[in-house]
Amino acid sequence: MQFFNKLVNWYFNKKSLPYWCIFIFDCAIVFFSYLAIFKVMNGGARTLGVLWQVSLLNLALTVFYAIGFKLFHTYDGILRYSSFVDLQRVGYATVFGAVLSYIAHFFLLQIPYLSVAYIGGGSIMFASLIAMLLLWAVRVLVKTVYDVSLDSLNARLAYVYGVTEGGMGLAKQVRNDKTLNLRLMGFVSEKPKLVNRMLMGLKVWPSDEHLVKHMKSNKIDALLVAQGAKDAFRQNKTLQDELIAAGIHIYMQSKREEWNPEQTGETENGVAATPLKEVSIEDLLPRDEISIDLNSVAKTLRGKCVMVTGSAGSIGSEIVRQICTFQPSHMVLIDSAETPQHDIRLMMAKNFPEIKAETIVTSVSGIIRMEDIFSRYRPDYVFHAAAYKHVPMMENNPSESIENNVYGTKILADMAVKYGVKKFVMISTDKAVNPTNVMGCSKRICEIYVQSLDHAIKTGKIKGVTQFVTTRFGNVLGSNGSVIPLFKRQIKAGGPVTVTDPNIIRFFMLIPEACKLVLEAGTKGNGGEIFVFDMGNPVKIADLAKRMIKLSGATGVEIKYTGLRAGEKLYEEVLNKEETTMPSFHDKIRIAKVRQYDYDTVERDIEDLVEISKHYDDMATVKKMKEIVPEFKSNNSVYEVLDK
């Protein structure tokens, strides 16, 4: 028995047998089926006497079955995943082989050497029936052993959340893939008409206030969320909190990928099983799936030269990746950070070798260098993502904020006009709305400049063709400045997890989703707009920290409140209110209502600001910023004295 267990474990721990092994095994079953029938019909003594002739005849007949196996692809599947379709193929192949054998055996018996091994037509049919039953039995046995005998006692008991949303497919995957170490025990559904029904021999339970208690009492310690049920689950924060508090593990399906036999198991339709992964806090934040008009974006960017500043940053690098899928002719990538920019160069060479890419290490505030780059490459589109973005850092270094964010943007915008860039897309922040810190104000000044420049072009004050578009959004998940990576490091170190204030809230969006909206807004905008992204529901940072601690399974990790940092708000402005925005071409994008500025005045103010910043007089610099943006009121900052 021990040997059998070792053999079984060895077999099922392999991905699958090579197809030729299954092919040879099936042919062997046919061969020995004929041999067995000959022995039954003629006795053991006679069989031994003509064993060589019988073997040759059986081998010849087996060839016809092998042709059937080839025609019907009986060996292509994986035995442990055998289905009714696979058994059908075996049946067709066996019948095909039997018919050919019946026809051919008359001719084979004309060979004197083989005539002593005579086998009648009835015996052929009987041997074929035996072979078919054995071929079926092997497949059913292997599948049964895989489904039952290897169902580990240590496997986690699991429910599937979502039935009609792809839950049935997920359930089949769990039963087929024992490497998941999960045992399916039931389903959970939000739909009353499905509750208490039996599916795959298992009960469907309601998603109500008793669910978690029921799961704990039945030792169900895993909930598997189907792909189509993700949004509904993300919105059910109460259920999430109860599951986390109860220590029940939550798994979600990743997006379906093309089948790779080297990485995943095979399903019946030849597509890879959708991988399961235990949820992170990013997976649980409520958000809607965002789709954009890909055809419009592709038509705009295909075959064009595109410049991306800040190409090594969180937003910039994702913009680069997404733009490259639309087949631009040339990418001009600018960033001041050498090592991350080198990573972008390697990524381009590996993933997009057909696209000519220039990876340049420089600052956007160098006017001579920018002139050289624009004159050399003549970009059609510019996506400006380069900026200093950390609020406390810029609060302590306002001059650098002006040099990089404001002056750098002005240089790029002026060069775009000079060299005929079709569209200039500036990436701003929600912190530019009624700013309370230097960083937010610097981005608001950038918005004012590109807007006034766009207006000056449209009114004929300045000669040019460039359209300037601004996009605003808040925090993005996975960025270097996000609280989530910080919290993860603090939890791993044993705490404490530092939160500035128990009431602070923030909006979050996935980087790829934000960049999709940037591309659509940038390509569809007509110039002069400030596009505001709907960030969904706000998240309380203290609650976020608590959930991350519970999800990690860590014990003894405390939350420490450190007080608001310089320039920090308790909450960012809500940007999607109808009284402050207008609808656009996308339900997740609105157009901000802002006042128009005179270009000459703005340009003069910015030139004065840049000159003041060169003296590194923080108070004088911030004072001038407040003159340009009167709504800039410092919060928890040394610059509050300037507001009195």
Side-chain angles (χ1 to χ4, degrees), residues 469-511:
V469 173
T470 299
T471 60
R472 277 184 191 161
F473 52 91
N475 299 281
V476 288
L477 297 171
S479 75
N480 296 327
S482 173
V483 297
I484 292 177
L486 173 62
F487 288 173
K488 286 180 178 178
R489 291 194 297 269
Q490 290 176 334
I491 293 170
K492 188 176 181 179
V497 174
T498 55
V499 179
T500 56
D501 190 279
N503 297 314
I504 193 168
I505 61 172
R506 289 292 183 266
F507 294 89
F508 290 96
M509 179 178 281
L510 288 177
I511 292 176

mmCIF file of all heavy atoms in Angstrom, residues 469-511:
data_model
loop_
_atom_site.group_PDB
_atom_site.id
_atom_site.type_symbol
_atom_site.label_atom_id
_atom_site.label_comp_id
_atom_site.label_asym_id
_atom_site.label_seq_id
_atom_site.Cartn_x
_atom_site.Cartn_y
_atom_site.Cartn_z
ATOM 1 N N VAL A 469 -3.947 69.745 -22.665
ATOM 2 C CA VAL A 469 -4.959 69.038 -21.884
ATOM 3 C C VAL A 469 -4.360 68.690 -20.524
ATOM 4 O O VAL A 469 -3.209 68.253 -20.435
ATOM 5 C CB VAL A 469 -5.416 67.754 -22.601
ATOM 6 C CG1 VAL A 469 -6.334 66.939 -21.706
ATOM 7 C CG2 VAL A 469 -6.111 68.098 -23.910
ATOM 8 N N THR A 470 -5.154 68.873 -19.464
ATOM 9 C CA THR A 470 -4.714 68.555 -18.107
ATOM 10 C C THR A 470 -5.590 67.452 -17.532
ATOM 11 O O THR A 470 -6.810 67.461 -17.720
ATOM 12 C CB THR A 470 -4.778 69.795 -17.203
ATOM 13 O OG1 THR A 470 -3.914 70.816 -17.716
ATOM 14 C CG2 THR A 470 -4.361 69.464 -15.780
ATOM 15 N N THR A 471 -4.977 66.510 -16.846
ATOM 16 C CA THR A 471 -5.712 65.448 -16.162
ATOM 17 C C THR A 471 -5.411 65.507 -14.668
ATOM 18 O O THR A 471 -4.261 65.672 -14.267
ATOM 19 C CB THR A 471 -5.335 64.054 -16.696
ATOM 20 O OG1 THR A 471 -3.938 63.816 -16.501
ATOM 21 C CG2 THR A 471 -5.656 63.948 -18.179
ATOM 22 N N ARG A 472 -6.455 65.349 -13.866
ATOM 23 C CA ARG A 472 -6.320 65.375 -12.409
ATOM 24 C C ARG A 472 -6.821 64.066 -11.811
ATOM 25 O O ARG A 472 -7.902 63.588 -12.169
ATOM 26 C CB ARG A 472 -7.150 66.499 -11.795
ATOM 27 C CG ARG A 472 -6.579 67.869 -11.756
ATOM 28 C CD ARG A 472 -7.561 68.753 -11.008
ATOM 29 N NE ARG A 472 -7.260 70.172 -11.119
ATOM 30 C CZ ARG A 472 -8.134 71.127 -10.870
ATOM 31 N NH1 ARG A 472 -9.368 70.801 -10.467
ATOM 32 N NH2 ARG A 472 -7.808 72.409 -10.989
ATOM 33 N N PHE A 473 -6.052 63.500 -10.914
ATOM 34 C CA PHE A 473 -6.539 62.375 -10.120
ATOM 35 C C PHE A 473 -5.745 62.306 -8.835
ATOM 36 O O PHE A 473 -4.736 63.004 -8.652
ATOM 37 C CB PHE A 473 -6.477 61.054 -10.902
ATOM 38 C CG PHE A 473 -5.144 60.757 -11.517
ATOM 39 C CD1 PHE A 473 -4.177 60.037 -10.846
ATOM 40 C CD2 PHE A 473 -4.864 61.179 -12.810
ATOM 41 C CE1 PHE A 473 -2.964 59.758 -11.428
ATOM 42 C CE2 PHE A 473 -3.634 60.903 -13.407
ATOM 43 C CZ PHE A 473 -2.692 60.184 -12.717
ATOM 44 N N GLY A 474 -6.192 61.447 -7.906
ATOM 45 C CA GLY A 474 -5.590 61.355 -6.580
ATOM 46 C C GLY A 474 -4.566 60.250 -6.465
ATOM 47 O O GLY A 474 -3.791 59.969 -7.387
ATOM 48 N N ASN A 475 -4.548 59.580 -5.318
ATOM 49 C CA ASN A 475 -3.573 58.547 -5.032
ATOM 50 C C ASN A 475 -3.788 57.321 -5.915
ATOM 51 O O ASN A 475 -4.921 56.955 -6.220
ATOM 52 C CB ASN A 475 -3.669 58.118 -3.560
ATOM 53 C CG ASN A 475 -3.394 59.272 -2.614
ATOM 54 O OD1 ASN A 475 -2.275 59.641 -2.369
ATOM 55 N ND2 ASN A 475 -4.461 59.857 -2.091
ATOM 56 N N VAL A 476 -2.699 56.718 -6.302
ATOM 57 C CA VAL A 476 -2.780 55.490 -7.087
ATOM 58 C C VAL A 476 -2.135 54.347 -6.308
ATOM 59 O O VAL A 476 -1.107 54.524 -5.654
ATOM 60 C CB VAL A 476 -2.098 55.641 -8.463
ATOM 61 C CG1 VAL A 476 -2.915 56.526 -9.365
ATOM 62 C CG2 VAL A 476 -0.680 56.169 -8.330
ATOM 63 N N LEU A 477 -2.766 53.197 -6.372
ATOM 64 C CA LEU A 477 -2.267 52.023 -5.670
ATOM 65 C C LEU A 477 -0.976 51.529 -6.306
ATOM 66 O O LEU A 477 -0.886 51.363 -7.514
ATOM 67 C CB LEU A 477 -3.311 50.906 -5.698
ATOM 68 C CG LEU A 477 -4.623 51.213 -4.996
ATOM 69 C CD1 LEU A 477 -5.639 50.127 -5.298
ATOM 70 C CD2 LEU A 477 -4.414 51.355 -3.510
ATOM 71 N N GLY A 478 0.015 51.295 -5.484
ATOM 72 C CA GLY A 478 1.261 50.762 -5.992
ATOM 73 C C GLY A 478 2.322 51.789 -6.294
ATOM 74 O O GLY A 478 3.446 51.444 -6.653
ATOM 75 N N SER A 479 1.991 53.073 -6.164
ATOM 76 C CA SER A 479 3.001 54.091 -6.410
ATOM 77 C C SER A 479 3.998 54.120 -5.261
ATOM 78 O O SER A 479 3.726 53.692 -4.139
ATOM 79 C CB SER A 479 2.350 55.467 -6.570
ATOM 80 O OG SER A 479 1.932 55.974 -5.345
ATOM 81 N N ASN A 480 5.161 54.678 -5.550
ATOM 82 C CA ASN A 480 6.218 54.728 -4.543
ATOM 83 C C ASN A 480 5.828 55.571 -3.336
ATOM 84 O O ASN A 480 6.332 55.355 -2.248
ATOM 85 C CB ASN A 480 7.502 55.273 -5.174
ATOM 86 C CG ASN A 480 8.053 54.363 -6.253
ATOM 87 O OD1 ASN A 480 7.913 53.149 -6.160
ATOM 88 N ND2 ASN A 480 8.663 54.931 -7.283
ATOM 89 N N GLY A 481 4.933 56.516 -3.552
ATOM 90 C CA GLY A 481 4.549 57.381 -2.444
ATOM 91 C C GLY A 481 3.293 56.949 -1.713
ATOM 92 O O GLY A 481 2.844 57.631 -0.786
ATOM 93 N N SER A 482 2.707 55.836 -2.095
ATOM 94 C CA SER A 482 1.469 55.371 -1.491
ATOM 95 C C SER A 482 1.707 54.868 -0.071
ATOM 96 O O SER A 482 2.786 54.375 0.272
ATOM 97 C CB SER A 482 0.850 54.272 -2.345
ATOM 98 O OG SER A 482 -0.267 53.689 -1.717
ATOM 99 N N VAL A 483 0.662 54.996 0.760
ATOM 100 C CA VAL A 483 0.773 54.516 2.138
ATOM 101 C C VAL A 483 0.813 52.997 2.211
ATOM 102 O O VAL A 483 1.328 52.425 3.172
ATOM 103 C CB VAL A 483 -0.387 55.037 3.016
ATOM 104 C CG1 VAL A 483 -0.349 56.533 3.124
ATOM 105 C CG2 VAL A 483 -1.744 54.560 2.486
ATOM 106 N N ILE A 484 0.274 52.317 1.203
ATOM 107 C CA ILE A 484 0.169 50.858 1.272
ATOM 108 C C ILE A 484 1.540 50.182 1.323
ATOM 109 O O ILE A 484 1.774 49.326 2.181
ATOM 110 C CB ILE A 484 -0.707 50.334 0.122
ATOM 111 C CG1 ILE A 484 -2.160 50.784 0.352
ATOM 112 C CG2 ILE A 484 -0.619 48.809 0.009
ATOM 113 C CD1 ILE A 484 -3.123 50.405 -0.735
ATOM 114 N N PRO A 485 2.496 50.519 0.424
ATOM 115 C CA PRO A 485 3.832 49.912 0.571
ATOM 116 C C PRO A 485 4.478 50.236 1.911
ATOM 117 O O PRO A 485 5.168 49.383 2.495
ATOM 118 C CB PRO A 485 4.627 50.529 -0.594
ATOM 119 C CG PRO A 485 3.602 50.954 -1.583
ATOM 120 C CD PRO A 485 2.419 51.366 -0.781
ATOM 121 N N LEU A 486 4.258 51.461 2.423
ATOM 122 C CA LEU A 486 4.802 51.834 3.732
ATOM 123 C C LEU A 486 4.210 50.967 4.831
ATOM 124 O O LEU A 486 4.946 50.442 5.684
ATOM 125 C CB LEU A 486 4.512 53.312 4.011
ATOM 126 C CG LEU A 486 4.878 53.818 5.421
ATOM 127 C CD1 LEU A 486 6.379 53.693 5.670
ATOM 128 C CD2 LEU A 486 4.400 55.259 5.619
ATOM 129 N N PHE A 487 2.893 50.800 4.823
ATOM 130 C CA PHE A 487 2.235 49.966 5.838
ATOM 131 C C PHE A 487 2.732 48.525 5.777
ATOM 132 O O PHE A 487 2.927 47.875 6.810
ATOM 133 C CB PHE A 487 0.722 50.013 5.666
ATOM 134 C CG PHE A 487 0.083 51.318 6.073
ATOM 135 C CD1 PHE A 487 -1.265 51.559 5.841
ATOM 136 C CD2 PHE A 487 0.824 52.296 6.700
ATOM 137 C CE1 PHE A 487 -1.852 52.756 6.226
ATOM 138 C CE2 PHE A 487 0.242 53.511 7.087
ATOM 139 C CZ PHE A 487 -1.093 53.725 6.836
ATOM 140 N N LYS A 488 2.930 47.997 4.577
ATOM 141 C CA LYS A 488 3.420 46.624 4.429
ATOM 142 C C LYS A 488 4.793 46.459 5.072
ATOM 143 O O LYS A 488 5.057 45.460 5.755
ATOM 144 C CB LYS A 488 3.477 46.247 2.945
ATOM 145 C CG LYS A 488 2.116 45.984 2.319
ATOM 146 C CD LYS A 488 2.249 45.616 0.849
ATOM 147 C CE LYS A 488 0.875 45.310 0.245
ATOM 148 N NZ LYS A 488 0.979 44.992 -1.214
ATOM 149 N N ARG A 489 5.663 47.434 4.843
ATOM 150 C CA ARG A 489 7.000 47.371 5.446
ATOM 151 C C ARG A 489 6.921 47.462 6.964
ATOM 152 O O ARG A 489 7.639 46.748 7.678
ATOM 153 C CB ARG A 489 7.874 48.502 4.886
ATOM 154 C CG ARG A 489 8.251 48.328 3.417
ATOM 155 C CD ARG A 489 9.369 49.276 3.017
ATOM 156 N NE ARG A 489 8.976 50.678 3.145
ATOM 157 C CZ ARG A 489 8.419 51.391 2.159
ATOM 158 N NH1 ARG A 489 8.170 50.826 0.978
ATOM 159 N NH2 ARG A 489 8.117 52.669 2.339
ATOM 160 N N GLN A 490 6.048 48.341 7.462
ATOM 161 C CA GLN A 490 5.918 48.513 8.911
ATOM 162 C C GLN A 490 5.338 47.263 9.569
ATOM 163 O O GLN A 490 5.786 46.861 10.652
ATOM 164 C CB GLN A 490 5.046 49.737 9.202
ATOM 165 C CG GLN A 490 5.728 51.059 8.840
ATOM 166 C CD GLN A 490 4.811 52.256 9.049
ATOM 167 O OE1 GLN A 490 3.578 52.139 8.995
ATOM 168 N NE2 GLN A 490 5.398 53.422 9.263
ATOM 169 N N ILE A 491 4.360 46.635 8.936
ATOM 170 C CA ILE A 491 3.776 45.396 9.473
ATOM 171 C C ILE A 491 4.819 44.286 9.489
ATOM 172 O O ILE A 491 4.941 43.533 10.456
ATOM 173 C CB ILE A 491 2.535 44.991 8.659
ATOM 174 C CG1 ILE A 491 1.409 46.009 8.856
ATOM 175 C CG2 ILE A 491 2.054 43.594 9.063
ATOM 176 C CD1 ILE A 491 0.242 45.827 7.901
ATOM 177 N N LYS A 492 5.574 44.181 8.417
ATOM 178 C CA LYS A 492 6.616 43.162 8.330
ATOM 179 C C LYS A 492 7.665 43.351 9.415
ATOM 180 O O LYS A 492 8.216 42.370 9.943
ATOM 181 C CB LYS A 492 7.277 43.216 6.952
ATOM 182 C CG LYS A 492 8.243 42.075 6.684
ATOM 183 C CD LYS A 492 8.782 42.130 5.268
ATOM 184 C CE LYS A 492 9.736 40.972 5.007
ATOM 185 N NZ LYS A 492 10.260 41.017 3.597
ATOM 186 N N ALA A 493 7.933 44.603 9.771
ATOM 187 C CA ALA A 493 8.920 44.902 10.805
ATOM 188 C C ALA A 493 8.357 44.766 12.212
ATOM 189 O O ALA A 493 9.066 44.967 13.189
ATOM 190 C CB ALA A 493 9.490 46.305 10.603
ATOM 191 N N GLY A 494 7.066 44.434 12.340
ATOM 192 C CA GLY A 494 6.449 44.269 13.647
ATOM 193 C C GLY A 494 5.773 45.502 14.189
ATOM 194 O O GLY A 494 5.370 45.518 15.358
ATOM 195 N N GLY A 495 5.687 46.558 13.375
ATOM 196 C CA GLY A 495 5.007 47.784 13.767
ATOM 197 C C GLY A 495 5.920 48.775 14.465
ATOM 198 O O GLY A 495 7.117 48.537 14.636
ATOM 199 N N PRO A 496 5.341 49.894 14.874
ATOM 200 C CA PRO A 496 3.945 50.284 14.696
ATOM 201 C C PRO A 496 3.662 50.763 13.277
ATOM 202 O O PRO A 496 4.570 51.170 12.561
ATOM 203 C CB PRO A 496 3.775 51.423 15.709
ATOM 204 C CG PRO A 496 5.134 52.056 15.766
ATOM 205 C CD PRO A 496 6.116 50.925 15.627
ATOM 206 N N VAL A 497 2.372 50.713 12.917
ATOM 207 C CA VAL A 497 1.921 51.290 11.658
ATOM 208 C C VAL A 497 1.553 52.745 11.928
ATOM 209 O O VAL A 497 0.734 53.032 12.800
ATOM 210 C CB VAL A 497 0.708 50.527 11.103
ATOM 211 C CG1 VAL A 497 0.162 51.227 9.861
ATOM 212 C CG2 VAL A 497 1.089 49.094 10.778
ATOM 213 N N THR A 498 2.177 53.659 11.207
ATOM 214 C CA THR A 498 1.998 55.080 11.478
ATOM 215 C C THR A 498 0.933 55.703 10.578
ATOM 216 O O THR A 498 1.005 55.626 9.354
ATOM 217 C CB THR A 498 3.323 55.833 11.283
ATOM 218 O OG1 THR A 498 3.839 55.589 9.969
ATOM 219 C CG2 THR A 498 4.348 55.350 12.293
ATOM 220 N N VAL A 499 -0.066 56.290 11.212
ATOM 221 C CA VAL A 499 -1.134 57.016 10.530
ATOM 222 C C VAL A 499 -1.128 58.428 11.084
ATOM 223 O O VAL A 499 -1.026 58.630 12.292
ATOM 224 C CB VAL A 499 -2.505 56.346 10.748
ATOM 225 C CG1 VAL A 499 -3.609 57.136 10.049
ATOM 226 C CG2 VAL A 499 -2.487 54.903 10.255
ATOM 227 N N THR A 500 -1.239 59.403 10.192
ATOM 228 C CA THR A 500 -1.121 60.786 10.648
ATOM 229 C C THR A 500 -2.287 61.217 11.532
ATOM 230 O O THR A 500 -2.103 61.881 12.543
ATOM 231 C CB THR A 500 -1.015 61.738 9.448
ATOM 232 O OG1 THR A 500 -2.139 61.547 8.579
ATOM 233 C CG2 THR A 500 0.269 61.475 8.666
ATOM 234 N N ASP A 501 -3.520 60.831 11.156
ATOM 235 C CA ASP A 501 -4.702 61.258 11.902
ATOM 236 C C ASP A 501 -5.784 60.184 11.791
ATOM 237 O O ASP A 501 -5.950 59.593 10.717
ATOM 238 C CB ASP A 501 -5.224 62.601 11.348
ATOM 239 C CG ASP A 501 -6.294 63.224 12.229
ATOM 240 O OD1 ASP A 501 -7.482 62.813 12.125
ATOM 241 O OD2 ASP A 501 -5.945 64.131 13.015
ATOM 242 N N PRO A 502 -6.536 59.918 12.857
ATOM 243 C CA PRO A 502 -7.569 58.867 12.793
ATOM 244 C C PRO A 502 -8.690 59.178 11.811
ATOM 245 O O PRO A 502 -9.422 58.266 11.401
ATOM 246 C CB PRO A 502 -8.100 58.806 14.231
ATOM 247 C CG PRO A 502 -7.653 60.042 14.887
ATOM 248 C CD PRO A 502 -6.400 60.483 14.227
ATOM 249 N N ASN A 503 -8.852 60.438 11.393
ATOM 250 C CA ASN A 503 -9.951 60.818 10.507
ATOM 251 C C ASN A 503 -9.521 61.091 9.071
ATOM 252 O O ASN A 503 -10.358 61.458 8.249
ATOM 253 C CB ASN A 503 -10.661 62.055 11.066
ATOM 254 C CG ASN A 503 -11.309 61.793 12.409
ATOM 255 O OD1 ASN A 503 -11.986 60.771 12.602
ATOM 256 N ND2 ASN A 503 -11.090 62.681 13.378
ATOM 257 N N ILE A 504 -8.264 60.912 8.759
ATOM 258 C CA ILE A 504 -7.791 61.235 7.423
ATOM 259 C C ILE A 504 -8.337 60.229 6.413
ATOM 260 O O ILE A 504 -8.386 59.021 6.660
ATOM 261 C CB ILE A 504 -6.241 61.278 7.377
ATOM 262 C CG1 ILE A 504 -5.767 61.929 6.085
ATOM 263 C CG2 ILE A 504 -5.621 59.898 7.572
ATOM 264 C CD1 ILE A 504 -4.284 62.269 6.085
ATOM 265 N N ILE A 505 -8.792 60.725 5.255
ATOM 266 C CA ILE A 505 -9.335 59.868 4.193
ATOM 267 C C ILE A 505 -8.654 60.208 2.878
ATOM 268 O O ILE A 505 -8.169 61.325 2.670
ATOM 269 C CB ILE A 505 -10.867 60.005 4.045
ATOM 270 C CG1 ILE A 505 -11.254 61.438 3.668
ATOM 271 C CG2 ILE A 505 -11.582 59.545 5.293
ATOM 272 C CD1 ILE A 505 -12.713 61.609 3.315
ATOM 273 N N ARG A 506 -8.625 59.249 1.984
ATOM 274 C CA ARG A 506 -8.026 59.436 0.670
ATOM 275 C C ARG A 506 -8.793 58.630 -0.378
ATOM 276 O O ARG A 506 -9.475 57.660 -0.064
ATOM 277 C CB ARG A 506 -6.560 59.002 0.659
ATOM 278 C CG ARG A 506 -5.614 59.934 1.426
ATOM 279 C CD ARG A 506 -5.466 61.260 0.763
ATOM 280 N NE ARG A 506 -4.516 62.148 1.439
ATOM 281 C CZ ARG A 506 -4.869 63.053 2.355
ATOM 282 N NH1 ARG A 506 -6.166 63.178 2.699
ATOM 283 N NH2 ARG A 506 -3.963 63.830 2.901
ATOM 284 N N PHE A 507 -8.675 59.068 -1.632
ATOM 285 C CA PHE A 507 -9.204 58.332 -2.770
ATOM 286 C C PHE A 507 -8.087 57.496 -3.382
ATOM 287 O O PHE A 507 -6.928 57.914 -3.395
ATOM 288 C CB PHE A 507 -9.766 59.282 -3.834
ATOM 289 C CG PHE A 507 -10.974 60.059 -3.385
ATOM 290 C CD1 PHE A 507 -10.831 61.280 -2.754
ATOM 291 C CD2 PHE A 507 -12.247 59.565 -3.584
ATOM 292 C CE1 PHE A 507 -11.945 62.001 -2.329
ATOM 293 C CE2 PHE A 507 -13.364 60.276 -3.168
ATOM 294 C CZ PHE A 507 -13.210 61.493 -2.540
ATOM 295 N N PHE A 508 -8.434 56.324 -3.904
ATOM 296 C CA PHE A 508 -7.432 55.452 -4.518
ATOM 297 C C PHE A 508 -7.911 54.954 -5.879
ATOM 298 O O PHE A 508 -9.092 54.728 -6.098
ATOM 299 C CB PHE A 508 -7.122 54.249 -3.624
ATOM 300 C CG PHE A 508 -6.361 54.588 -2.381
ATOM 301 C CD1 PHE A 508 -7.018 54.801 -1.183
ATOM 302 C CD2 PHE A 508 -4.984 54.700 -2.414
ATOM 303 C CE1 PHE A 508 -6.323 55.116 -0.033
ATOM 304 C CE2 PHE A 508 -4.271 55.014 -1.271
ATOM 305 C CZ PHE A 508 -4.941 55.218 -0.072
ATOM 306 N N MET A 509 -6.933 54.761 -6.762
ATOM 307 C CA MET A 509 -7.190 54.203 -8.076
ATOM 308 C C MET A 509 -5.990 53.363 -8.486
ATOM 309 O O MET A 509 -4.851 53.655 -8.111
ATOM 310 C CB MET A 509 -7.438 55.325 -9.093
ATOM 311 C CG MET A 509 -7.701 54.866 -10.521
ATOM 312 S SD MET A 509 -8.032 56.230 -11.659
ATOM 313 C CE MET A 509 -9.744 56.581 -11.265
ATOM 314 N N LEU A 510 -6.245 52.304 -9.249
ATOM 315 C CA LEU A 510 -5.146 51.501 -9.766
ATOM 316 C C LEU A 510 -4.363 52.288 -10.816
ATOM 317 O O LEU A 510 -4.942 53.042 -11.602
ATOM 318 C CB LEU A 510 -5.665 50.216 -10.398
ATOM 319 C CG LEU A 510 -6.198 49.131 -9.458
ATOM 320 C CD1 LEU A 510 -6.743 47.969 -10.270
ATOM 321 C CD2 LEU A 510 -5.106 48.641 -8.530
ATOM 322 N N ILE A 511 -3.044 52.118 -10.839
ATOM 323 C CA ILE A 511 -2.204 52.822 -11.804
ATOM 324 C C ILE A 511 -2.646 52.540 -13.242
ATOM 325 O O ILE A 511 -2.806 53.478 -14.035
ATOM 326 C CB ILE A 511 -0.719 52.465 -11.605
ATOM 327 C CG1 ILE A 511 -0.218 53.045 -10.274
ATOM 328 C CG2 ILE A 511 0.128 52.990 -12.759
ATOM 329 C CD1 ILE A 511 1.216 52.658 -9.936
#
